[in-house]
Amino acid sequence: MHQDKTQMAVNNNRNTGVCADRFWLDREHCCWSSNDTFYKDDDCKAWTKWPWMLNHYNQGFIFLFLEWIFYIGWALAMSTLAVLFVKIFAPYACGSGIPEIKCILSGFVIRGYLGKWTFIIKSVGLILSSASGLSLGKEGPMVHLACCIGNIFSYLFPKYGLNEAKKREILSASAAAGVSVAFGAPIGGVLFSLEEASYYFPLKTMWRSFFCALVAGIILRFVNPFGSNQTSLFHVDYMMKWTFIELVPFALLGLFGGILGSLFIFANIRWSKFRKNSKMLGGNPIYEVMLITLITAAISYFNPFTRKSAQSMIQQLFDRCEDQIDEDSLCDQNKALSIAFGQLLWALIFKFVITIFTFGIKVPCGLFVPSIAMGAITGRILGITVDQIFRAVQATPGHSDYFTCQLGKDCVMPGLYAMVGAAAVLGGVTRMTVSLVVIMFELTGSLEFIVPTMVATMFSKWIGDGISKMGIYEAHIELNGYPFLDSKGEYPYSTVASQVMRPSINRQPDSESSMSDLRELKNELSVITENGMTLGDLESLLRQTNFNGFPVVVSQNSMHLVGFVSRRDIFLALHTARKTQPYVVTSSIAYFSDGVPDSMPGGPAPLRLRKILDMVSSGMLETW
């Protein structure tokens, strides 16, 4: 996963040019390698733009047109490759993966979702889709990749690989490691797994997740994929202190983040429903990806903020100005309101609209970075505005001593507002609170500004929950119809299980049975015994019932739960056995345990069904 992060950084600059002597480097590292420590625009001699390779050096219309064509062409090539890999090799490799991970950790089984092919294709597809310039992130898919690794390695240890409950403990720790690698936030990863991903999180799982995230953080620091010698992705160094009056704009950022997040969830879910029900879009994911990539690249090129990678833009918005003037006029007080303000406003609108259509397409795509980007743009706009207000007050004769400060030094830091805004919008979209605050201070290394981040996050949470209770992941779980019972939800039901459950009646219908008796028999609890039932008994059970699955018990006399088997798995296993095993007949005994006796000479062969059984934990066995 660390190699993936480096490759994404390299490919993100591939749209604009190539390093002349080291083609594997991105623009920043290419210029560093050529000793161009300080460079701006075309000052880097080692970086070759695509029009230069066609002998076009003048910054005229032809040059800009060629650069625009190459920008779009590389974006289309990489996104098309990503969607082709997903469609052909691993359909489960698309999307974020966090909604499905939440369902898996709550007990739902999605076979193949955490398999090796999903891991391989999502790793490659994530590099390509991130490098294409689409408005998506890599952090959510990295959680999915980490869980794939945890699932694959769990089969090396039968204690975990053959027990679904213990395997989910490994997946909880894997989710923490995924966030630790994606953001460089080990503690935030553990809290993310606790607050957002995991359904059941005992104390032993917490310290195991902590250890797993710790190892991931150490490896991240050792590999140093970005060459910055820092684990924080967007490291900032603010020398100023925030004032109490600034809590008002911080709260406004939280208010805006909650509203923007709710609007995004509403619009994205409506579009996802339309995509799901549309034969034109649902049946042609490749064309949809290509169209969205074409629109994104064609429009992004003309704005200096959207043209660069989301990570570079966020870092620039977080940075402090000090005394220099940067290339995008963010710190030039004569141009900040006229040029940069308009560019930022256009970037915010474009990011919001295009991310609605991008999140959910059939390529690996996350939502953390686009949400942080939208929040950082919003915060920077508000920071510029507040800074201008302070400047106007200071220019007024007889102003209060409260507004006396060194402009650009300790008055207002627009980068701080960008950081707080990023937390506000991300909180409005995901509805995270504690883990989000910790991730933000680990992401930026700014422990001093936890309180402003907490204020914005709480206001974002309150406003968002007031509009809609569900975050983006819960909304997609509901959209896809996954069986998920949210542990954070409130369910005001007073009925207990004994009032709605039926005991097994253990009698057969006869010719004189009434319709009510038949309905009662149809609705009784149907179970499968661990050993003793024949293939014919199982086929008869499938014909007489329409349940989606059956509990497997020790015996009819000892109703101790062993596990659960789905209707589809039984049907496929029986159908396959009938076709491929000649000595498996109707009278063959089905075994859901490891102890299978040898078949008698001339007798029917036993039917081994242990692999399709989802085991329950030993703790649950004691409660049945």
Side-chain angles (χ1 to χ4, degrees):
M1 282 193 292
H2 305 290
Q3 185 179 1
D4 289 356
K5 295 177 73 173
T6 307
Q7 193 62 40
M8 289 172 202
V10 173
N11 288 338
N12 272 334
N13 295 112
R14 191 67 67 222
N15 297 5
T16 60
V18 65
C19 191
D21 53 349
R22 296 176 177 86
F23 68 89
W24 59 89
L25 294 179
D26 66 337
R27 183 169 183 260
E28 184 178 5
H29 290 86
C30 177
C31 296
W32 285 355
S33 66
S34 63
N35 295 323
D36 288 335
T37 307
F38 300 101
Y39 64 91
K40 178 182 175 181
D41 257 350
D42 301 329
D43 293 345
C44 178
K45 302 178 182 62
W47 185 256
T48 303
K49 292 191 174 185
W50 296 116
W52 296 349
M53 302 183 71
L54 300 178
N55 295 322
H56 285 279
Y57 298 96
N58 295 326
Q59 296 280 345
F61 175 78
I62 300 297
F63 180 93
L64 295 176
F65 180 75
L66 287 174
E67 194 173 44
W68 183 63
I69 292 297
F70 272 103
Y71 188 88
I72 296 175
W74 276 105
L76 280 172
M78 287 183 277
S79 64
T80 304
L81 274 177
V83 69
L84 285 174
F85 284 149
V86 170
K87 182 177 176 61
I88 296 173
F89 297 106
Y92 281 150
C94 66
S96 167
I98 292 182
E100 289 77 10
I101 295 298
K102 287 169 67 72
C103 293
I104 290 173
L105 290 175
S106 71
F108 186 46
V109 177
I110 308 178
R111 297 194 181 278
Y113 195 79
L114 302 177
K116 58 181 181 297
W117 272 110
T118 302
F119 170 72
I120 295 171
I121 297 304
K122 191 149 193 170
S123 299
V124 177
L126 183 58
I127 295 172
L128 294 171
S129 61
S130 297
S132 67
L134 285 168
S135 182
L136 49 81
K138 60 184 180 296
E139 284 68 25
M142 278 193 170
V143 174
H144 185 188
L145 291 175
C147 289
C148 288
I149 295 173
N151 178 69
I152 294 169
F153 274 92
S154 69
Y155 287 102
L156 300 177
F157 309 94
K159 175 183 177 182
Y160 294 95
L162 301 178
N163 190 311
E164 290 294 330
K166 289 189 174 297
K167 186 192 298 181
R168 287 180 177 89
E169 294 180 9
I170 291 183
L171 296 183
S172 294
S174 300
V179 174
S180 176
V181 170
F183 289 112
I187 301 176
V190 177
L191 293 177
F192 172 83
S193 181
L194 170 63
E195 180 182 5
E196 188 66 21
S198 299
Y199 193 86
Y200 176 64
F201 204 80
L203 185 61
K204 63 178 181 180
T205 303
M206 178 178 287
W207 74 260
R208 290 172 180 174
S209 300
F210 179 80
F211 178 75
C212 191
L214 169 66
V215 174
I218 292 174
I219 299 299
L220 178 66
R221 177 64 180 82
F222 177 76
V223 174
N224 192 23
F226 296 117
S228 61
N229 292 322
Q230 294 172 341
T231 56
S232 53
L233 190 58
F234 305 115
H235 183 76
V236 296
D237 184 20
Y238 301 143
M239 305 303 294
M240 53 160 288
K241 306 290 183 181
W242 59 275
T243 58
F244 284 102
I245 196 173
E246 289 184 291
L247 290 178
V248 175
F250 294 152
L252 290 177
L253 282 174
L255 177 72
F256 182 82
I259 296 174
L260 189 71
S262 298
L263 287 176
F264 176 84
I265 294 171
F266 173 78
N268 180 255
I269 293 299
R270 291 293 295 269
W271 174 252
S272 298
K273 286 181 180 178
F274 176 76
R275 177 196 289 126
K276 196 173 183 180
N277 298 325
S278 171
K279 292 183 179 179
M280 183 178 66
L281 286 175
N284 300 282
I286 297 177
Y287 297 131
E288 181 191 11
V289 171
M290 293 178 67
L291 179 61
I292 292 177
T293 304
L294 176 63
I295 295 173
T296 303
I299 298 177
S300 297
Y301 175 82
F302 297 101
N303 189 310
F305 293 104
T306 56
R307 186 190 310 167
K308 60 183 64 177
S309 67
Q311 180 178 326
S312 300
M313 181 185 68
I314 294 169
Q315 183 65 65
Q316 181 186 0
L317 294 173
F318 282 4
D319 281 345
R320 56 179 180 168
C321 287
E322 295 179 328
D323 296 323
Q324 78 274 14
I325 299 175
D326 70 353
E327 61 188 80
D328 295 315
S329 307
L330 275 180
C331 300
D332 186 354
Q333 294 302 321
N334 297 321
K335 298 180 180 180
L337 286 179
S338 59
I339 298 179
F341 195 93
Q343 292 172 344
L344 286 173
L345 189 60
W346 168 244
L348 174 62
I349 296 172
F350 175 71
K351 272 283 182 184
F352 177 76
V353 174
I354 202 65
T355 307
I356 290 173
F357 297 98
T358 304
F359 186 67
I361 60 176
K362 300 304 180 183
V363 296
C365 56
L367 195 58
F368 279 92
V369 166
S371 301
I372 292 175
M374 287 187 285
I377 295 172
T378 304
R380 190 79 187 204
I381 290 174
L382 183 61
I384 292 173
T385 304
V386 174
D387 184 50
Q388 293 299 315
I389 293 174
F390 267 78
R391 290 176 182 272
V393 171
Q394 280 207 330
T396 303
H399 64 270
S400 173
D401 292 338
Y402 188 81
F403 293 94
T404 301
C405 53
Q406 288 183 286
L407 293 174
K409 297 293 184 180
D410 56 357
C411 269
V412 175
M413 187 67 69
L416 170 61
Y417 285 76
M419 185 183 73
V420 175
V425 174
L426 184 56
V429 172
T430 63
R431 306 299 162 81
M432 296 190 300
T433 52
V434 180
S435 58
L436 173 58
V437 173
V438 175
I439 286 175
M440 286 306 299
F441 92 72
E442 287 188 285
L443 192 65
T444 59
S446 56
L447 190 62
E448 177 68 27
F449 304 103
I450 283 185
V451 173
T453 308
M454 292 175 67
V455 170
T457 302
M458 285 310 304
F459 271 87
S460 176
K461 170 77 170 173
W462 288 335
I463 299 301
D465 285 348
I467 299 174
S468 173
K469 288 292 184 183
M470 289 188 296
I472 186 66
Y473 300 129
E474 290 78 14
H476 273 273
I477 288 173
E478 184 179 271
L479 174 67
N480 294 322
Y482 295 139
F484 179 73
L485 190 64
D486 193 355
S487 60
K488 297 189 289 290
E490 297 180 1
Y491 306 95
Y493 301 115
S494 58
T495 306
V496 297
S498 60
Q499 293 176 297
V500 297
M501 292 181 65
R502 283 179 172 271
S504 180
I505 301 176
N506 291 325
R507 61 183 174 88
Q508 297 295 325
D510 51 41
S511 58
E512 298 180 357
S513 298
S514 63
M515 290 299 297
S516 60
D517 291 336
L518 291 175
R519 283 194 297 267
E520 185 179 14
L521 286 170
K522 186 177 180 180
N523 293 329
E524 72 176 4
L525 180 64
S526 299
V527 298
I528 296 176
T529 56
E530 187 179 20
N531 304 317
M533 295 185 70
T534 64
L535 185 147
D537 294 334
L538 294 176
E539 291 177 334
S540 177
L541 181 64
L542 293 177
R543 286 194 302 269
Q544 294 175 5
T545 64
N546 57 0
F547 302 126
N548 291 327
F550 305 91
V552 178
V553 298
V554 175
S555 66
Q556 290 288 351
N557 296 325
S558 177
M559 298 287 282
H560 287 281
L561 183 66
V562 177
F564 183 84
V565 62
S566 68
R567 181 187 190 89
R568 178 178 178 274
D569 289 342
I570 296 178
F571 178 80
L572 292 176
L574 299 184
H575 180 72
T576 304
R578 286 279 197 185
K579 291 181 62 176
T580 60
Q581 302 180 39
Y583 295 103
V584 171
V585 294
T586 304
S587 58
S588 295
I589 304 297
Y591 292 91
F592 290 88
S593 60
D594 293 325
V596 180
D598 297 331
S599 58
M600 299 294 293
L607 183 59
R608 305 170 188 268
L609 300 178
R610 172 65 180 77
K611 289 186 177 180
I612 67 172
L613 178 66
D614 291 328
M615 301 290 289
V616 299
S617 65
S618 58
M620 186 178 292
L621 281 173
E622 296 173 358
T623 63
W624 280 69

